[in-house]
Amino acid sequence: GMTIVEAGAFSAPSIAQRGGGVGATALLNEASGASIGAEFAERVHDVEALCDFVEKRLGDRPGLLRVGERAKQRALAWDEKANADAVSQALRAAVRAFRHKTALGNRMWRLPDPAAVTRLQPLWRDATIGIWVGGDWVVVQHADACGSVPSVGNSPEWRLGSGGSGQSRKRKAHADVDCGNAEVTTQMVVVTAHNPMGAMCDASVNDLHASALATEIRGMQEEGLVSFVFPCVSVDAAGGAQVWREPGLAVTLFDELPNQNQALTRVMRLARKFGQAAVYLLSGDANGKWHLAVKPCFPTLGGLAVENVPLVTREPPRNMPTDPTDARCFWNGGESLVGL
């Protein structure tokens, strides 16, 4: 990936695959105008389309000049001091993690054994999740777990349709999740950074992880990879937040299939980075029906996976957090609030 940084230093623009697979695009990213994003994976079997795409970009001389100039600015800004600052921040994070006995920055966790996975699967499937939409918690759960039958009255559609925007969905969308015969029109990924692999951490450590996750998701939003982002919290179904509380973020995916796949992959990589066994995928279809899927983040945890779990809204459990700040989500009004 360093090739494009070296080229950028000489004002040479680059076309790079989107999605974060090319590491150097963290510096020369498309959102800043320092590179030209492309979907090579979608065109790999269509050489003509790939050539047309490249020729079109090569024909935009003013655009190439702008990208080249922006790439040069960002490439040359990464000097000895910038590198030293980044190294010192990494070392400080490692020292803090060691002192707090956490695994921040360390991707080696003790994965649950098969017996534990079997025990945990129903807990993942039946989770009670509150999503902060319109100044209130919209609480959803597996219909069977809360003794409800899905209906128009308890469908999450009226609160979460169009990613919680409150707008009716008229667009046609795609998804790789089967929710019956109707096409999926909204997908939300729920991710947390708390308690890696179920190992309970101090509140200060969980806050550190949560704020880091919020910053990463903010970066994805600025790149145009995800749409709306909402604070969320998983709580105990009966006792509420006083018994169990694990805050996170609900990330709405765009409806174009390539963007969905890239964004879902990126969020799952973040979950792995923070030691999470799986993420939730909430999907609403054109008929207003919502389903939950559990997507394991590690191959050996496939036993956690579930699909097409019918979701309904339910009364919030007792002792819900007052708001996202009280829940320690580190996301308010679209900003990642670090260090609260």
Side-chain angles (χ1 to χ4, degrees):
M2 290 306 297
T3 304
I4 72 169
V5 178
E6 294 165 355
F10 292 91
S11 301
S14 295
I15 300 175
Q17 171 67 37
R18 293 190 180 106
V22 180
T25 55
L27 178 64
L28 304 189
N29 56 72
E30 183 181 10
S32 69
S35 65
I36 300 169
E39 297 296 341
F40 292 117
E42 298 298 315
R43 298 181 171 89
V44 68
H45 299 299
D46 190 344
V47 177
E48 290 297 327
L50 180 58
C51 291
D52 289 344
F53 173 83
V54 174
E55 287 179 352
K56 182 179 179 180
R57 298 307 183 276
L58 290 176
D60 180 11
R61 306 302 294 180
L64 292 175
L65 289 172
R66 287 194 300 272
V67 172
E69 184 58 32
R70 183 60 175 154
K72 181 178 181 179
Q73 293 173 358
R74 292 183 69 85
L76 295 183
W78 186 257
D79 55 13
E80 291 86 348
K81 182 180 184 302
N83 181 70
D85 289 344
V87 171
S88 65
Q89 289 176 15
L91 291 174
R92 290 190 182 100
V95 171
R96 286 195 301 269
F98 178 78
R99 287 175 176 171
H100 290 92
K101 298 182 180 179
T102 74
L104 182 63
N106 177 1
R107 302 193 184 192
M108 299 299 293
W109 291 279
R110 188 181 299 278
L111 300 181
D113 60 33
V117 169
T118 300
R119 176 179 56 82
L120 290 169
Q121 196 253 27
L123 301 178
W124 277 87
R125 180 196 63 207
D126 298 339
T128 304
I129 302 171
I131 302 174
W132 186 259
V133 179
D136 200 3
W137 294 110
V138 179
V139 182
V140 297
Q141 190 180 19
H142 179 197
D144 291 350
C146 58
S148 297
V149 176
S151 66
V152 174
N154 61 23
S155 170
E157 170 69 13
W158 69 282
R159 297 298 302 274
L160 301 184
S162 290
S165 67
Q167 303 172 357
S168 61
R169 293 194 301 257
K170 299 181 180 178
R171 64 183 185 271
K172 179 179 179 181
H174 306 276
D176 58 359
V177 178
D178 179 14
C179 287
N181 295 325
E183 289 180 291
V184 170
T185 52
T186 300
Q187 287 191 301
M188 305 177 78
V189 187
V190 174
V191 61
T192 182
H194 272 223
N195 304 322
M197 287 301 154
M200 302 300 293
C201 295
D202 291 340
S204 61
V205 174
N206 278 330
D207 281 352
L208 181 65
H209 292 185
S211 63
L213 173 66
T215 299
E216 296 267 16
I217 295 295
R218 163 56 59 191
M220 289 182 61
Q221 196 175 49
E222 290 175 350
E223 289 181 52
L225 285 176
V226 299
S227 181
F228 303 105
V229 179
F230 302 95
C232 66
V233 61
S234 175
V235 298
D236 183 81
Q242 281 190 346
V243 175
W244 173 257
R245 175 175 67 181
E246 201 165 78
L249 296 174
V251 181
T252 309
L253 307 183
F254 285 112
D255 56 5
E256 296 85 0
L257 185 58
N259 288 340
Q260 279 188 359
N261 292 339
Q262 291 170 27
L264 179 58
T265 298
R266 282 279 292 275
V267 175
M268 292 186 69
R269 286 176 180 170
L270 280 179
R272 285 176 63 108
K273 175 180 178 180
F274 290 104
Q276 302 303 310
V279 299
Y280 292 108
L281 185 62
L282 280 53
S283 302
D285 67 26
N287 292 333
K289 296 180 180 180
W290 279 71
H291 295 79
L292 174 144
V294 177
K295 299 290 188 181
C297 296
F298 295 84
T300 58
L301 301 184
L304 292 175
V306 295
E307 300 282 349
N308 298 334
V309 174
L311 279 180
V312 296
T313 57
R314 52 156 289 173
E315 287 296 317
R318 293 177 297 170
N319 307 312
M320 286 293 288
T322 306
D323 53 33
T325 301
D326 183 34
R328 310 299 289 172
C329 294
F330 293 89
W331 191 280
N332 183 19
E335 298 295 334
S336 54
L337 305 178
V338 180
L340 288 179

